[in-house]
Amino acid sequence: MYWFLPLFLMFYLGRQADVKYAAVSGAILSLFVSSLNMVYLGYLLLHGQKFAGITLSRMGAFLRQPNIHAFLLLGVLPLLFCAFRDKTIRSNRLFFALQIMAAVLGLWSLWKTGSRGGMFGFCTGGLFVFLAVYFREKIGRVVFAFVLTGTILFSGYLFFGITPGNHGYDDTIRLRMLSFSYDMWKDHKLLGVGLANWHAEYVGKYVKEDVVRKAAMEYYMARIKKTNEKFSAKNAANMQKAALKAWSRVYMPHNVPAWFFSATGSIGGIGYVIFVLFYLYMLLQKLREQPGNWMLAAGLWIFLAINIHGLLDAGITDKGIARLLYLMLGLGLSYACVDKATERF
């Protein structure tokens, strides 16, 4: 509930005054600040500086974990792109130029995070909103389903090849996380293990050491084959030891539905599904009624993007991400309830 409070605050503020231009100005400023820090980090890395968890191919502004930074970008970039539909903004050349520059820097930053989930969520959410606005009649439903399905399949393949960094090993780790979380849910189907107990239960009972050791060994063998190194039993043992140590620091399964089902059981997991479906239905209904309301469209886009990315990472289980999502939902819904939108898509 504490993380949810920004929704009520921004809903109230949005009802009191027309704050959409202030919101866009804040998005532009935040993107300039964070993206310029990404440029600075890239400069330092090129000159030999080292930072824990940050590489030249995968960065997060202010040394933030790249995937978390991608989430934060998803919370502001859709607002900026939807605001391009506003005639008042387009008529102000200086502001419009700054908006374009911030959008380009933001997209570059999203790519530099190397987050496939972030890019996939951004693109899929944007396509969903675009089709929801332009194909509201029955004839558009077939087009919508066809294009969306094709985009999902194609983007999943495409982003594997164009995002910076090596993701193959990460993918197998996520699959094991899901497998171990599923085992946890099977033992605690109704109520789960409890939010505060998840880490201890996961590491103590459900992380299978033999599976982790085998995977680490496969990774080591693939690496020495690629680099033509000689096999070293000591290095192989160290690789397995490091893998087990890394698993001891896992505090979430990098999948929001898996987190809720394993931590809070079927009751909490179904609650999360209802939460997503309810907001999706409500936002879509409001957008059909007010297709020119670009603040509402931005709220739907952000909601979709963050929850899609949440299938591969922390999502709303992270405090900062949850607060940003609820803040933007509050703004979008305030414009849905009081139709202040004068522009049309």
Side-chain angles (χ1 to χ4, degrees), residues 77-149:
L77 271 175
L79 174 65
L80 214 59
F81 276 85
C82 288
F84 281 123
R85 301 301 306 179
D86 191 286
K87 291 181 180 179
T88 302
I89 290 179
R90 295 201 304 271
S91 65
N92 188 320
R93 293 184 179 182
L94 176 59
F95 192 90
F96 190 58
L98 290 174
Q99 186 180 357
I100 292 174
M101 292 170 61
V104 172
L105 284 171
L107 287 175
W108 174 81
S109 296
L110 182 59
W111 180 75
K112 286 299 292 182
T113 64
S115 173
R116 285 173 297 156
M119 284 185 278
F120 185 52
F122 178 79
C123 294
T124 305
L127 176 65
F128 189 98
V129 171
F130 173 82
L131 293 175
V133 170
Y134 282 95
F135 296 96
R136 299 187 303 278
E137 305 301 327
K138 292 182 179 180
I139 193 172
R141 293 179 182 177
V142 175
V143 177
F144 176 83
F146 176 79
V147 175
L148 183 61
T149 303

Side-chain angles (χ1 to χ4, degrees), residues 45-67:
L45 289 166
L46 279 173
H47 288 77
Q49 183 72 42
K50 294 183 179 180
F51 302 99
I54 301 292
T55 66
L56 190 58
S57 62
R58 298 200 66 192
M59 297 188 295
F62 304 105
L63 301 180
R64 186 179 291 275
Q65 204 274 342
N67 285 333

Side-chain angles (χ1 to χ4, degrees), residues 173-309:
I173 290 176
R174 282 187 169 89
L175 290 175
R176 286 193 291 278
M177 286 180 177
L178 290 176
S179 176
F180 298 158
S181 298
Y182 177 68
D183 292 339
M184 184 187 294
W185 173 78
K186 286 194 299 184
D187 292 342
H188 307 85
K189 290 183 179 179
L190 185 61
L191 298 175
V193 298
L195 296 171
N197 303 324
W198 192 91
H199 172 71
E201 290 285 326
Y202 190 77
V203 174
K205 297 181 181 179
Y206 295 98
V207 173
K208 298 179 176 62
E209 289 193 9
D210 57 332
V211 174
V212 176
R213 289 182 182 277
K214 180 181 178 182
M217 191 65 180
E218 291 175 351
Y219 175 73
Y220 175 68
M221 295 301 294
R223 192 186 74 176
I224 63 174
K225 183 178 180 180
K226 184 177 181 180
T227 59
N228 294 321
E229 298 177 26
K230 290 185 178 180
F231 176 81
S232 169
K234 182 179 179 180
N235 289 342
N238 287 337
M239 183 72 70
Q240 293 175 327
K241 184 178 179 181
L244 288 170
K245 185 177 181 181
W247 276 94
S248 69
R249 297 193 295 266
V250 172
Y251 288 88
M252 55 162 178
H254 286 260
N255 181 284
V256 175
W259 159 262
F260 277 106
F261 273 98
S262 57
T264 60
S266 296
I267 293 177
I270 294 172
Y272 171 74
V273 173
I274 292 174
F275 156 77
V276 172
L277 294 178
F278 170 76
Y279 270 93
L280 182 60
Y281 173 79
M282 177 175 59
L283 290 166
L284 277 173
Q285 285 294 101
K286 291 292 184 181
L287 193 58
R288 289 185 65 185
E289 297 170 4
Q290 305 173 31
N293 192 335
W294 59 263
M295 281 293 291
L296 180 60
L300 175 58
W301 188 346
I302 292 169
F303 181 77
L304 285 168
I306 288 180
N307 278 286
I308 289 171
H309 191 187

